[in-house]
Amino acid sequence: MENNQPIGYMNVPVPKSIDLVQEIDRLRKEKNAVILAHYYQTGDIQDIADFVGDSLALAQWAAKTTADIIVLCGVHFMGETAKILCPDKKVLVPDLNAGCSLADSCPAVDFTEFVSKHPDYTVISYVNTTAAVKAVTDVVVTSTNTRQIVESFPADTKIIFGPDRNLGNYINSITGRNMILWNGACHVHEQFSLEKILELKAQYPDAEIITHPECKQPIIEVSDFVGSTVALLKHTIQSDIKQFIVATESGVIYEMQKQSPDKQFIPAPPNDSTCACNECVFMRLNTMEKLYNCLKFEMPEIYVDEEVQKRAVKSIQRMLEISAQLGL
Ligand code: 13P
Ligand code: SF4
Protein backbone atom coordinates (compact mmCIF):
# COMPACT_ATOMS: atom_id res chain seq x y z
CA MET A 1 0.00 0.00 0.00
CA GLU A 2 2.81 2.38 0.98
CA ASN A 3 4.39 2.53 -2.45
CA ASN A 4 1.07 3.30 -4.09
CA GLN A 5 0.53 6.47 -2.12
CA PRO A 6 0.40 9.58 -4.26
CA ILE A 7 3.32 11.50 -2.82
CA GLY A 8 3.16 14.57 -5.05
CA TYR A 9 1.09 16.39 -2.40
CA MET A 10 4.14 16.37 -0.10
CA ASN A 11 5.40 19.20 -2.26
CA VAL A 12 2.05 20.96 -2.84
CA PRO A 13 3.03 24.63 -2.72
CA VAL A 14 2.08 26.26 0.56
CA PRO A 15 0.92 29.89 0.17
CA LYS A 16 3.51 32.30 1.54
CA SER A 17 0.75 34.13 3.43
CA ILE A 18 0.19 31.13 5.72
CA ASP A 19 1.64 31.35 9.21
CA LEU A 20 3.07 27.83 9.32
CA VAL A 21 3.62 27.72 13.07
CA GLN A 22 0.04 28.82 13.76
CA GLU A 23 -1.49 26.50 11.14
CA ILE A 24 0.51 23.44 12.20
CA ASP A 25 -0.53 24.12 15.77
CA ARG A 26 -4.19 24.48 14.76
CA LEU A 27 -4.19 21.26 12.72
CA ARG A 28 -2.45 19.29 15.45
CA LYS A 29 -5.11 20.31 18.01
CA GLU A 30 -8.02 19.83 15.60
CA LYS A 31 -6.88 16.30 14.69
CA ASN A 32 -5.54 15.22 18.10
CA ALA A 33 -2.12 14.68 16.57
CA VAL A 34 1.21 14.58 18.36
CA ILE A 35 4.41 15.77 16.65
CA LEU A 36 7.52 13.83 17.64
CA ALA A 37 10.87 15.07 16.31
CA HIS A 38 14.40 13.67 16.35
CA TYR A 39 17.28 15.93 17.39
CA TYR A 40 18.58 15.78 13.81
CA GLN A 41 15.63 17.81 12.52
CA THR A 42 15.99 21.50 11.70
CA GLY A 43 15.47 23.99 14.54
CA ASP A 44 12.04 25.16 13.37
CA ILE A 45 10.71 21.58 13.44
CA GLN A 46 12.28 20.91 16.86
CA ASP A 47 10.63 24.10 18.15
CA ILE A 48 7.12 23.16 17.02
CA ALA A 49 7.31 19.50 18.09
CA ASP A 50 5.44 18.29 21.16
CA PHE A 51 8.46 16.23 22.00
CA VAL A 52 12.07 16.16 20.75
CA GLY A 53 14.23 13.14 21.51
CA ASP A 54 16.65 10.48 20.35
CA SER A 55 15.55 7.16 18.86
CA LEU A 56 14.87 5.58 22.25
CA ALA A 57 12.83 8.49 23.58
CA LEU A 58 10.79 8.69 20.36
CA ALA A 59 9.88 5.01 20.69
CA GLN A 60 9.02 5.48 24.37
CA TRP A 61 6.77 8.46 23.53
CA ALA A 62 5.08 6.66 20.67
CA ALA A 63 4.35 3.73 22.98
CA LYS A 64 2.50 5.89 25.49
CA THR A 65 0.76 8.58 23.46
CA THR A 66 -3.02 8.90 23.51
CA ALA A 67 -3.07 10.95 20.29
CA ASP A 68 -4.98 9.60 17.28
CA ILE A 69 -2.24 10.61 14.84
CA ILE A 70 1.53 10.44 15.34
CA VAL A 71 3.58 12.67 13.06
CA LEU A 72 7.12 11.40 13.20
CA CYS A 73 9.56 14.08 12.08
CA GLY A 74 12.54 11.85 11.50
CA VAL A 75 13.30 9.09 9.04
CA HIS A 76 11.27 6.15 7.77
CA PHE A 77 12.42 3.51 10.29
CA MET A 78 11.38 5.84 13.15
CA GLY A 79 7.89 6.10 11.67
CA GLU A 80 7.84 2.31 11.27
CA THR A 81 8.87 1.82 14.90
CA ALA A 82 5.97 4.05 16.00
CA LYS A 83 3.56 2.15 13.72
CA ILE A 84 4.76 -1.23 15.01
CA LEU A 85 4.13 -0.03 18.57
CA CYS A 86 0.78 1.59 17.70
CA PRO A 87 -0.72 -0.42 14.82
CA ASP A 88 -4.15 1.12 15.33
CA LYS A 89 -2.95 4.71 15.06
CA LYS A 90 -2.27 6.71 11.95
CA VAL A 91 1.47 7.32 11.70
CA LEU A 92 2.65 10.00 9.29
CA VAL A 93 6.09 11.19 8.17
CA PRO A 94 6.44 14.55 6.40
CA ASP A 95 8.57 13.06 3.60
CA LEU A 96 8.28 9.39 2.69
CA ASN A 97 11.69 9.55 0.97
CA ALA A 98 13.45 10.14 4.28
CA GLY A 99 15.32 6.85 4.41
CA CYS A 100 18.47 5.85 6.27
CA SER A 101 21.75 4.60 4.79
CA LEU A 102 22.33 2.43 7.85
CA ALA A 103 18.94 0.71 7.57
CA ASP A 104 19.58 0.32 3.81
CA SER A 105 22.90 -1.40 4.53
CA CYS A 106 20.98 -4.32 6.05
CA PRO A 107 18.52 -5.83 3.53
CA ALA A 108 16.02 -8.04 5.37
CA VAL A 109 16.46 -11.00 3.00
CA ASP A 110 20.23 -11.13 3.52
CA PHE A 111 20.02 -10.54 7.25
CA THR A 112 17.37 -13.24 7.68
CA GLU A 113 19.59 -15.71 5.81
CA PHE A 114 22.56 -14.74 8.00
CA VAL A 115 20.47 -15.22 11.16
CA SER A 116 19.21 -18.61 9.97
CA LYS A 117 22.83 -19.78 9.61
CA HIS A 118 23.42 -19.04 13.32
CA PRO A 119 20.47 -20.75 15.04
CA ASP A 120 22.02 -20.69 18.53
CA TYR A 121 22.69 -16.94 18.49
CA THR A 122 20.72 -14.15 20.14
CA VAL A 123 19.98 -11.41 17.61
CA ILE A 124 20.39 -7.82 18.78
CA SER A 125 19.54 -5.15 16.21
CA TYR A 126 19.96 -1.44 16.28
CA VAL A 127 16.67 0.45 15.90
CA ASN A 128 17.98 1.83 12.56
CA THR A 129 16.56 -1.16 10.67
CA THR A 130 13.47 -2.02 8.67
CA ALA A 131 10.44 -3.65 10.27
CA ALA A 132 11.34 -6.91 8.49
CA VAL A 133 14.78 -6.96 10.15
CA LYS A 134 13.20 -6.25 13.53
CA ALA A 135 10.90 -9.22 12.89
CA VAL A 136 13.91 -11.61 12.96
CA THR A 137 15.47 -9.84 15.96
CA ASP A 138 15.29 -10.90 19.61
CA VAL A 139 15.83 -7.46 21.07
CA VAL A 140 16.14 -4.03 19.51
CA VAL A 141 18.57 -1.47 20.92
CA THR A 142 19.32 2.21 20.41
CA SER A 143 22.63 3.95 20.95
CA THR A 144 21.40 5.01 24.41
CA ASN A 145 20.89 1.48 25.72
CA THR A 146 23.08 -0.82 23.59
CA ARG A 147 25.75 -1.39 26.24
CA GLN A 148 23.27 -2.07 29.04
CA ILE A 149 21.12 -4.40 26.93
CA VAL A 150 24.13 -6.36 25.65
CA GLU A 151 25.40 -6.64 29.23
CA SER A 152 21.99 -7.82 30.45
CA PHE A 153 22.76 -11.13 28.68
CA PRO A 154 25.16 -13.61 30.35
CA ALA A 155 28.79 -13.10 29.24
CA ASP A 156 28.87 -16.37 27.29
CA THR A 157 25.76 -15.56 25.20
CA LYS A 158 26.46 -15.84 21.49
CA ILE A 159 25.24 -12.62 19.91
CA ILE A 160 24.69 -11.36 16.37
CA PHE A 161 24.74 -7.56 16.33
CA GLY A 162 23.51 -5.58 13.37
CA PRO A 163 23.65 -3.51 11.35
CA ASP A 164 26.20 -0.89 12.51
CA ARG A 165 29.75 -2.30 12.50
CA ASN A 166 31.17 0.81 14.22
CA LEU A 167 28.72 0.71 17.12
CA GLY A 168 29.20 -3.08 17.31
CA ASN A 169 32.99 -2.76 17.41
CA TYR A 170 32.78 -0.06 20.03
CA ILE A 171 30.46 -2.14 22.24
CA ASN A 172 32.70 -5.21 21.82
CA SER A 173 35.69 -3.10 22.89
CA ILE A 174 34.09 -1.67 26.06
CA THR A 175 32.29 -4.85 27.16
CA GLY A 176 34.85 -7.49 26.18
CA ARG A 177 32.13 -9.31 24.22
CA ASN A 178 32.76 -10.95 20.91
CA MET A 179 29.52 -10.29 19.05
CA ILE A 180 29.40 -11.20 15.38
CA LEU A 181 28.82 -7.97 13.48
CA TRP A 182 26.80 -7.16 10.41
CA ASN A 183 28.86 -5.02 8.05
CA GLY A 184 26.67 -1.90 7.86
CA ALA A 185 27.27 1.78 8.52
CA CYS A 186 25.74 5.25 8.50
CA HIS A 187 27.03 7.50 5.72
CA VAL A 188 26.92 10.57 7.97
CA HIS A 189 28.83 9.19 10.95
CA GLU A 190 31.38 7.36 8.79
CA GLN A 191 32.29 10.55 6.97
CA PHE A 192 34.00 12.54 9.69
CA SER A 193 37.55 13.55 8.87
CA LEU A 194 40.13 12.66 11.52
CA GLU A 195 42.55 15.13 10.00
CA LYS A 196 40.10 18.03 10.11
CA ILE A 197 39.02 17.14 13.65
CA LEU A 198 42.65 17.19 14.80
CA GLU A 199 43.15 20.54 13.05
CA LEU A 200 40.16 21.89 14.98
CA LYS A 201 41.59 20.49 18.21
CA ALA A 202 44.85 22.34 17.53
CA GLN A 203 42.88 25.50 16.91
CA TYR A 204 40.73 25.03 20.05
CA PRO A 205 43.03 23.17 22.48
CA ASP A 206 40.59 23.52 25.39
CA ALA A 207 37.72 21.97 23.44
CA GLU A 208 36.53 18.43 24.12
CA ILE A 209 35.92 16.12 21.16
CA ILE A 210 32.55 14.43 21.73
CA THR A 211 31.52 11.61 19.43
CA HIS A 212 28.60 9.33 18.55
CA PRO A 213 29.54 5.61 18.58
CA GLU A 214 28.39 5.21 14.94
CA CYS A 215 31.67 6.95 14.02
CA LYS A 216 34.77 5.04 12.92
CA GLN A 217 37.29 3.79 15.48
CA PRO A 218 40.07 6.39 14.77
CA ILE A 219 37.61 9.19 15.59
CA ILE A 220 36.46 7.37 18.72
CA GLU A 221 40.09 6.93 19.81
CA VAL A 222 40.80 10.68 19.80
CA SER A 223 37.52 11.53 21.53
CA ASP A 224 37.17 12.76 25.10
CA PHE A 225 33.61 11.48 25.38
CA VAL A 226 31.65 8.90 23.37
CA GLY A 227 27.89 8.58 23.70
CA SER A 228 24.46 8.50 22.11
CA THR A 229 22.75 11.70 20.99
CA VAL A 230 21.18 12.17 24.42
CA ALA A 231 24.35 11.19 26.28
CA LEU A 232 26.30 13.81 24.30
CA LEU A 233 23.65 16.42 25.02
CA LYS A 234 23.62 15.64 28.77
CA HIS A 235 27.40 15.68 28.87
CA THR A 236 27.57 19.19 27.38
CA ILE A 237 25.02 20.41 29.95
CA GLN A 238 26.79 18.86 32.95
CA SER A 239 30.40 19.53 31.95
CA ASP A 240 32.40 22.59 33.06
CA ILE A 241 34.12 22.61 29.66
CA LYS A 242 33.13 25.59 27.49
CA GLN A 243 33.97 24.36 23.96
CA PHE A 244 33.02 21.13 22.22
CA ILE A 245 33.93 19.68 18.82
CA VAL A 246 30.79 17.70 18.01
CA ALA A 247 31.22 14.54 15.90
CA THR A 248 27.64 13.61 15.15
CA GLU A 249 24.85 14.94 12.94
CA SER A 250 24.95 18.69 13.43
CA GLY A 251 21.20 19.08 14.13
CA VAL A 252 21.72 18.23 17.79
CA ILE A 253 23.83 21.38 18.20
CA TYR A 254 20.58 23.36 18.09
CA GLU A 255 19.46 21.85 21.42
CA MET A 256 23.00 21.89 22.86
CA GLN A 257 23.23 25.63 22.21
CA LYS A 258 19.75 26.20 23.62
CA GLN A 259 20.62 24.34 26.83
CA SER A 260 24.08 25.94 27.19
CA PRO A 261 24.03 29.39 25.58
CA ASP A 262 27.37 30.27 27.19
CA LYS A 263 29.21 27.34 25.52
CA GLN A 264 30.64 27.01 22.03
CA PHE A 265 29.78 24.06 19.78
CA ILE A 266 31.96 23.40 16.75
CA PRO A 267 30.58 20.86 14.25
CA ALA A 268 33.15 18.25 13.23
CA PRO A 269 33.65 18.41 9.45
CA PRO A 270 33.19 15.55 7.00
CA ASN A 271 35.91 14.24 4.68
CA ASP A 272 34.88 15.17 1.21
CA SER A 273 33.08 18.45 1.47
CA THR A 274 33.76 22.12 1.72
CA CYS A 275 30.89 22.34 4.19
CA ALA A 276 31.96 22.74 7.82
CA CYS A 277 29.26 20.52 9.26
CA ASN A 278 27.78 17.12 8.63
CA GLU A 279 24.06 16.83 7.98
CA CYS A 280 21.95 13.75 7.25
CA VAL A 281 20.34 14.44 3.86
CA PHE A 282 17.45 12.13 4.73
CA MET A 283 16.62 13.88 8.00
CA ARG A 284 16.77 17.25 6.21
CA LEU A 285 14.13 16.22 3.66
CA ASN A 286 11.50 17.15 6.25
CA THR A 287 10.50 20.81 6.20
CA MET A 288 7.85 22.93 7.90
CA GLU A 289 5.92 23.06 4.61
CA LYS A 290 5.88 19.25 4.33
CA LEU A 291 4.91 18.97 7.99
CA TYR A 292 1.98 21.31 7.32
CA ASN A 293 0.90 19.37 4.20
CA CYS A 294 1.24 16.09 6.04
CA LEU A 295 -1.08 17.23 8.84
CA LYS A 296 -3.51 18.76 6.36
CA PHE A 297 -3.76 15.77 3.98
CA GLU A 298 -2.95 13.10 6.62
CA MET A 299 -0.38 11.63 4.27
CA PRO A 300 2.15 10.11 3.68
CA GLU A 301 1.20 7.32 6.01
CA ILE A 302 3.43 4.50 7.25
CA TYR A 303 2.15 0.95 6.74
CA VAL A 304 3.63 -2.24 8.17
CA ASP A 305 2.57 -5.73 7.12
CA GLU A 306 0.46 -7.28 9.92
CA GLU A 307 2.53 -10.46 10.26
CA VAL A 308 5.77 -8.48 10.30
CA GLN A 309 4.29 -6.10 12.88
CA LYS A 310 3.30 -8.97 15.19
CA ARG A 311 6.85 -10.35 15.20
CA ALA A 312 8.69 -7.02 15.21
CA VAL A 313 6.73 -5.59 18.13
CA LYS A 314 8.14 -8.28 20.46
CA SER A 315 11.74 -7.17 19.90
CA ILE A 316 10.87 -3.50 20.45
CA GLN A 317 8.75 -4.24 23.54
CA ARG A 318 11.63 -6.24 24.95
CA MET A 319 13.90 -3.21 24.53
CA LEU A 320 11.36 -0.95 26.23
CA GLU A 321 10.94 -3.40 29.13
CA ILE A 322 14.69 -3.79 29.72
CA SER A 323 15.18 -0.01 29.40
CA ALA A 324 12.42 0.60 31.98
CA GLN A 325 14.00 -1.92 34.37
CA LEU A 326 17.35 -0.14 33.94
CA GLY A 327 15.75 3.29 34.44
CA LEU A 328 16.71 4.47 30.93
P1 13P B 1 20.22 7.97 18.35
O1 13P B 1 19.02 8.79 18.19
O2 13P B 1 19.92 6.67 19.03
O3 13P B 1 21.36 8.67 19.01
O4 13P B 1 20.71 7.54 16.89
C1 13P B 1 21.40 8.36 16.06
C2 13P B 1 20.98 8.25 14.67
O5 13P B 1 21.76 8.18 13.78
C3 13P B 1 19.55 8.26 14.41
O6 13P B 1 19.36 8.08 13.09
FE1 SF4 C 1 20.43 6.97 9.18
FE2 SF4 C 1 22.78 8.06 9.63
FE3 SF4 C 1 20.77 9.62 8.87
FE4 SF4 C 1 20.79 8.52 11.34
S1 SF4 C 1 22.21 10.03 10.54
S2 SF4 C 1 19.08 8.59 9.90
S3 SF4 C 1 21.79 6.56 10.94
S4 SF4 C 1 21.70 7.96 7.66
Side-chain angles (χ1 to χ4, degrees):
M1 169 115 56
E2 189 156 308
N3 291 336
N4 297 331
Q5 288 186 79
I7 56 173
Y9 56 82
M10 283 179 342
N11 293 312
V12 167
V14 177
K16 288 261 178 293
S17 55
I18 280 188
D19 181 332
L20 281 172
V21 172
Q22 207 175 311
E23 281 304 294
I24 290 169
D25 194 40
R26 182 184 64 77
L27 286 167
R28 136 176 72 193
K29 286 178 184 142
E30 196 178 290
K31 300 187 178 212
N32 189 26
V34 67
I35 302 172
L36 308 180
H38 192 272
Y39 284 119
Y40 296 173
Q41 294 293 283
T42 49
D44 48 5
I45 294 182
Q46 293 191 41
D47 282 344
I48 195 132
D50 294 283
F51 179 78
V52 186
D54 67 350
S55 306
L56 175 61
L58 294 179
Q60 287 167 329
W61 266 80
K64 68 181 181 196
T65 186
T66 54
D68 296 316
I69 298 177
I70 299 173
V71 183
L72 206 309
C73 297
V75 292
H76 191 273
F77 77 81
M78 295 176 178
E80 262 190 355
T81 303
K83 184 67 183 176
I84 292 166
L85 284 164
C86 312
D88 299 331
K89 291 189 194 295
K90 192 175 260 190
V91 178
L92 309 170
V93 289
D95 192 319
L96 203 57
N97 300 314
C100 168
S101 59
L102 180 50
D104 288 348
S105 69
C106 188
V109 175
D110 301 340
F111 191 70
T112 305
E113 194 188 333
F114 182 67
V115 167
S116 68
K117 286 185 179 150
H118 299 84
D120 51 342
Y121 277 67
T122 296
V123 183
I124 300 184
S125 295
Y126 200 28
V127 70
N128 301 42
T129 44
T130 60
V133 167
K134 290 183 176 81
V136 293
T137 292
D138 293 302
V139 55
V140 167
V141 294
T142 76
S143 53
T144 291
N145 58 23
T146 310
R147 179 183 190 155
Q148 291 90 334
I149 290 186
V150 167
E151 287 187 326
S152 73
F153 288 91
D156 58 353
T157 309
K158 293 177 181 172
I159 296 174
I160 289 174
F161 183 84
D164 192 298
R165 58 177 174 244
N166 296 318
L167 178 64
N169 269 322
Y170 174 68
I171 296 297
N172 273 344
S173 75
I174 59 172
T175 61
R177 302 284 173 124
N178 190 21
M179 303 186 293
I180 304 183
L181 308 181
W182 185 260
N183 192 20
C186 153
H187 77 291
V188 177
H189 288 93
E190 278 229 315
Q191 257 203 25
F192 288 109
S193 158
L194 179 60
E195 202 185 333
K196 290 182 189 170
I197 288 176
L198 293 178
E199 276 169 24
L200 279 176
K201 180 71 182 172
Q203 205 181 330
Y204 301 95
D206 296 333
E208 266 193 358
I209 301 172
I210 60 169
T211 297
H212 195 283
E214 285 173 28
C215 293
K216 284 181 173 174
Q217 197 180 347
I219 309 282
I220 287 183
E221 277 171 9
V222 299
S223 299
D224 299 289
F225 183 84
V226 178
S228 66
T229 308
V230 153
L232 297 181
L233 176 61
K234 281 189 186 154
H235 177 73
T236 60
I237 296 168
Q238 287 159 3
S239 169
D240 293 331
I241 302 286
K242 295 285 182 206
Q243 288 175 323
F244 299 91
I245 298 164
V246 184
T248 190
E249 212 274 358
S250 54
V252 69
I253 292 179
Y254 184 73
E255 183 65 19
M256 287 175 172
Q257 196 70 76
K258 236 176 162 178
Q259 295 286 341
S260 309
D262 58 322
K263 298 182 183 173
Q264 187 182 5
F265 300 96
I266 306 142
N271 259 319
D272 56 355
S273 161
T274 47
C275 174
C277 60
N278 205 359
E279 292 178 352
C280 172
V281 285
F282 301 113
M283 286 278 183
R284 303 309 167 114
L285 285 175
N286 295 326
T287 61
M288 288 288 276
E289 285 77 9
K290 288 179 194 167
L291 172 55
Y292 166 76
N293 277 341
C294 147
L295 272 164
K296 183 175 171 187
F297 299 115
E298 299 186 21
M299 282 198 253
E301 189 171 352
I302 296 280
Y303 294 97
V304 177
D305 174 84
E306 208 180 314
E307 281 312 305
V308 172
Q309 185 274 337
K310 279 186 188 145
R311 284 185 284 135
V313 75
K314 293 183 194 155
S315 58
I316 304 176
Q317 289 290 13
R318 198 156 169 204
M319 168 182 81
L320 294 177
E321 280 158 23
I322 301 176
S323 298
Q325 282 159 16
L326 296 167
L328 294 169

